[in-house]
Amino acid sequence: MFANYLIGLREGLEASLVVCILIAYLVKTDRRDALKPIWIGIAIAVGLALGFGCALEFGSQELTFEAQEALGGSLSIIAVGLVTWMVFWMRRTARHLKADLHGRLDAALQMGTGALVATAFLAVGREGLETSLFVWTSVRASSDGTEGPLIGVLLGIATAVVLGYLFYRGALRINLAKFFTWTGAMLVVVAAGVLAYGFHDLQEADFLPGLTNKAFDISETIPPDSWYGTLLKGVFNFQPDPTVLQVVVWSLYLVPTLAFFLAPSRPGKDRAQPAAPVREEV
């Protein structure tokens, strides 16, 4: 449940920050007349994300077991790729996020209502689609037959909305670069589990071999139905009897990705952008 809460919090907070930056800028520049198109674009983006999530959930139920596993495994791999790109992108741009959005909004204001709707839709829509895909694959990977994973996601999104409101009201300030660095590192760990589960799905669909070739089996030591087994599965998508392929994929993804993500920025690259602020807060 914690892993899904983290996903909802992290992805939801990105969208909330984008919304509050857009709204705050319009209010600050006395362009309240542009608020309606912005909210329309946001509503369309949210509706698209919800529709995409529903299509994944209900559409997959009509497939055969093998097709469901093949679809789930393929989408898990795609979701991990998108999330990995997202956390690296946000790590680089978090400190410049506000200035970038302000620039896009200035250009849209000059172009008219349609451009404002499109700006808000594109700014929030990408986050929404990524969130829907990764949430669906993560909930599927960590599902234990209860509503816990989905509740975790909803609680995370609700927390993100509250934090976004507090940012907008000025009641809360946060170092975005540090926040997205540490939550991004935790999200990489979650993504590693989703990736391993995705390959296991492909094995169950007979797309990949080695389903019976177990790397180890510690089910007696860590029973999947025990409280600590459930906790490990909910946080890390831990499986007590993974296949060799799952362990190899998990290791090859997690170790280098986390090392590159946590590596300090190169000084030369920082000097190439002297105008960038050292700290960005909302």
Side-chain angles (χ1 to χ4, degrees), residues 45-196:
V46 172
L48 178 64
L50 291 175
F52 181 55
C54 290
L56 289 174
E57 177 62 24
F58 297 111
S60 63
Q61 294 179 3
E62 303 300 323
L63 303 175
T64 64
F65 173 78
E66 290 76 10
Q68 286 184 16
E69 297 304 296
L71 176 64
S74 301
L75 291 181
S76 293
I77 295 172
I78 294 173
V80 169
L82 289 174
V83 167
T84 303
W85 172 83
M86 178 270 296
V87 295
F88 276 93
W89 177 83
M90 183 56 73
R91 183 176 183 269
R92 293 193 308 269
T93 61
R95 65 183 63 184
H96 316 300
L97 180 63
K98 184 186 293 185
D100 181 58
L101 288 174
H102 286 176
R104 295 184 193 179
L105 202 53
D106 284 335
L109 286 168
Q110 296 178 4
M111 296 174 65
T113 301
L116 288 169
V117 174
T119 298
F121 171 77
L122 293 174
V124 179
R126 179 181 63 83
E127 302 290 347
L129 292 176
E130 286 180 358
T131 301
S132 293
L133 179 57
F134 195 52
V135 163
W136 183 78
T137 55
S138 179
V139 168
R140 190 171 181 274
S142 61
S143 179
D144 54 3
T146 70
E147 301 299 324
L150 182 58
I151 292 175
V153 171
L154 295 177
L155 288 175
I157 293 175
T159 303
V161 171
V162 172
L163 291 176
Y165 177 76
L166 293 176
F167 292 149
Y168 175 75
R169 301 299 299 178
L172 181 65
R173 300 180 71 84
I174 187 173
N175 186 316
L176 295 183
K178 288 184 178 180
F179 174 84
F180 285 120
T181 294
W182 289 110
T183 57
M186 290 188 286
L187 207 56
V188 167
V189 175
V190 173
V194 173
L195 183 64

Side-chain angles (χ1 to χ4, degrees), residues 15-29:
S16 295
L17 288 174
V18 169
V19 171
C20 74
I21 288 172
L22 292 175
I23 299 302
Y25 184 66
L26 291 176
V27 172
K28 183 177 180 180
T29 56

Side-chain angles (χ1 to χ4, degrees), residues 229-282:
T230 302
L231 179 64
L232 288 173
K233 182 175 179 61
V235 176
F236 302 109
N237 286 314
F238 173 79
Q239 183 177 337
D241 58 343
T243 64
V244 172
L245 180 60
Q246 283 183 275
V247 173
V248 170
V249 167
W250 184 86
S251 303
L252 290 179
Y253 170 82
L254 180 63
V255 175
T257 303
L258 206 54
F260 277 115
F261 184 76
L262 295 178
S265 301
R266 290 176 295 177
K269 187 173 182 180
D270 291 339
R271 286 196 298 267
Q273 299 175 344
V278 176
R279 180 183 177 98
E280 173 69 68
E281 293 183 329
V282 174

